[in-house]
Amino acid sequence: MLIYGVKITSRLLLGTAQYPSPAILMDAIRTSRSEIVTVSLRRETADGSGAGFFDMLRQTGCRILPNTAGCHTAEEAVTTAHMARELFATDWIKLEVIGHSDTLQPDVFALVQAARVLSDDGFKVFPYTTDDLIVGERLIEAGCEVLMPWGAPIGSAQGLRNPDALRAMRAHFPDTPLIVDAGIGRPSHAVQAMELGMDAVLLNTAVAKARDPKGMAGAMAMAIQAGRAGFVADPIEPRDMAVPSTPILGLAELS
Amino acid sequence: MKITVNANSHEISAVTLSAALSELGINSPTIATAVNGSFVPRSERIDMALKDGDRLEVLSPMQGG
């Protein structure tokens, strides 16, 4: 998979928030075999823990994908992206512009606006968006080379609320990497996303809040691999009626 | 002058952003700054004049999804 010209082997992108401890986070990252991990920016604390966290992440060798989580306007997101670019020394940005505090659904109008400003300024934008085709077109026109449609509201663990819309996105954007971002709760959800032809899955809470994050990271990695392999192998279509799998020809007459 | 740093009020004598950070004991290299909602790159902090009532945000890496 190529994203902004970078070859990515792992189709699991992992968030770094909400783990029981830094050690468990590191275990989960290693077990997931992710190559891209997401991070955020928050106010500097007196203990300077942010620097230690960043040093720890750098030891994983993963690419850092900073986000603009919590931003509710295009202006906030653009400023946060600039701060992230300097802090993490990357022009990759996971662009989130939240439209509503309860649903955390993207404000797609502000998202497109911010994506255009940032792309023009040299950022490689990973937009957290809905599964709307026209919004996807606008984001690509704005300069995005990847789309990250939601599966369900962030942290909801509902799985794919609208698989038909994701299937339509796959058909509409055959050459654009599609990463399902948000809503994945179980390995079966990840398999479903990959069987639909999504290129990758980004998840956080499903691993971080599992009783065994390391175990769930491994399960998600296997699920995503299996789903991808199934998609590539081109599954058969379901039928209404039974069709014998054992040949009729040569069947003995025994009655 | 009085400025706000990460939502807390501070009385400082420094007149530039870099001097203010030093005065406030914020010495970590792993921070990014914004004044009144606008990003101020590291290289521009030394020339960034502050005025009374300015809002300074100092951000650092954090876990995120």
Side-chain angles (χ1 to χ4, degrees):
Chain A
M1 168 173 68
L2 277 178
I3 301 181
Y4 287 108
V6 175
K7 186 178 181 187
I8 304 295
T9 305
S10 171
R11 294 175 183 273
L12 170 55
L13 289 72
L14 195 62
T16 57
Q18 306 183 82
Y19 290 80
S21 72
I24 293 174
L25 164 63
M26 294 293 276
D27 274 349
I29 291 172
R30 276 190 288 268
T31 306
S32 72
R33 298 189 296 279
S34 293
E35 295 169 54
I36 300 172
V37 292
T38 57
V39 297
S40 190
L41 295 86
R42 287 293 180 266
R43 285 171 169 164
E44 168 79 344
T45 53
D47 62 3
S49 57
F53 167 66
F54 188 28
D55 285 343
M56 188 182 74
L57 272 194
R58 277 193 284 215
Q59 292 170 21
T60 67
C62 290
R63 279 184 173 271
I64 303 291
L65 178 58
N67 68 28
T68 62
C71 293
H72 285 255
T73 67
E75 291 75 19
E76 284 176 339
V78 168
T79 299
T80 302
H82 279 97
M83 297 174 87
R85 182 162 67 177
E86 181 178 83
L87 201 48
F88 296 106
T90 177
D91 52 12
W92 283 17
I93 190 74
K94 178 187 166 188
L95 182 60
E96 297 183 33
V97 186
I98 298 303
H100 193 280
S101 298
D102 292 337
T103 62
L104 298 181
Q105 70 185 89
D107 176 341
V108 295
F109 306 99
L111 180 70
V112 171
Q113 183 187 345
R116 183 172 294 114
V117 170
L118 291 171
S119 297
D120 289 348
D121 200 14
F123 283 87
K124 312 285 194 300
V125 178
F126 292 62
Y128 164 62
T129 183
T130 64
D131 47 32
D132 187 282
L133 299 181
I134 308 307
V135 172
E137 286 183 356
R138 296 291 181 270
L139 287 167
I140 290 171
E141 287 167 13
C144 298
E145 296 182 16
V146 58
L147 298 174
M148 302 212 299
W150 63 352
I154 293 172
S156 69
Q158 293 179 5
L160 307 184
R161 268 186 169 181
N162 195 348
D164 289 336
L166 293 174
R167 188 178 292 112
M169 281 195 89
R170 179 71 290 166
H172 199 70
F173 302 108
D175 302 320
T176 302
L178 300 177
I179 302 173
V180 167
D181 178 14
I184 300 292
R186 295 165 179 266
S188 55
H189 300 156
V191 170
Q192 187 188 14
M194 297 306 292
E195 285 184 355
L196 287 171
M198 300 294 106
D199 292 280
V201 169
L202 195 166
L203 52 84
N204 187 158
T205 311
V207 168
K209 303 299 274 187
R211 186 182 57 77
D212 174 8
K214 180 183 175 184
M216 187 58 79
M220 288 294 187
M222 288 188 283
I224 287 165
Q225 275 192 328
R228 175 66 184 177
F231 171 74
V232 170
D234 196 7
I236 63 170
E237 293 302 316
R239 294 165 178 252
D240 289 335
M241 301 299 290
V243 179
S245 51
T246 303
I248 301 294
L249 188 67
L251 185 66
E253 291 185 17
L254 301 174
S255 59
Chain B
M1 70 180 138
K2 186 182 271 188
I3 64 169
T4 305
V5 182
N6 289 350
N8 295 313
S9 288
H10 289 269
E11 189 72 39
I12 60 168
S13 56
V15 295
T16 65
L17 176 53
S18 59
L21 291 172
S22 295
E23 185 176 333
L24 293 163
I26 302 172
N27 301 310
S28 170
T30 319
I31 57 162
T33 51
V35 174
N36 300 327
S38 296
F39 170 57
V40 181
R42 187 177 291 122
S43 59
E44 295 178 14
R45 286 178 200 156
I46 196 162
D47 295 322
M48 178 74 201
L50 294 179
K51 60 182 186 309
D52 195 55
D54 275 349
R55 288 180 299 109
L56 171 59
E57 291 286 343
V58 182
L59 304 189
S60 67
M62 182 60 66
Q63 294 85 350

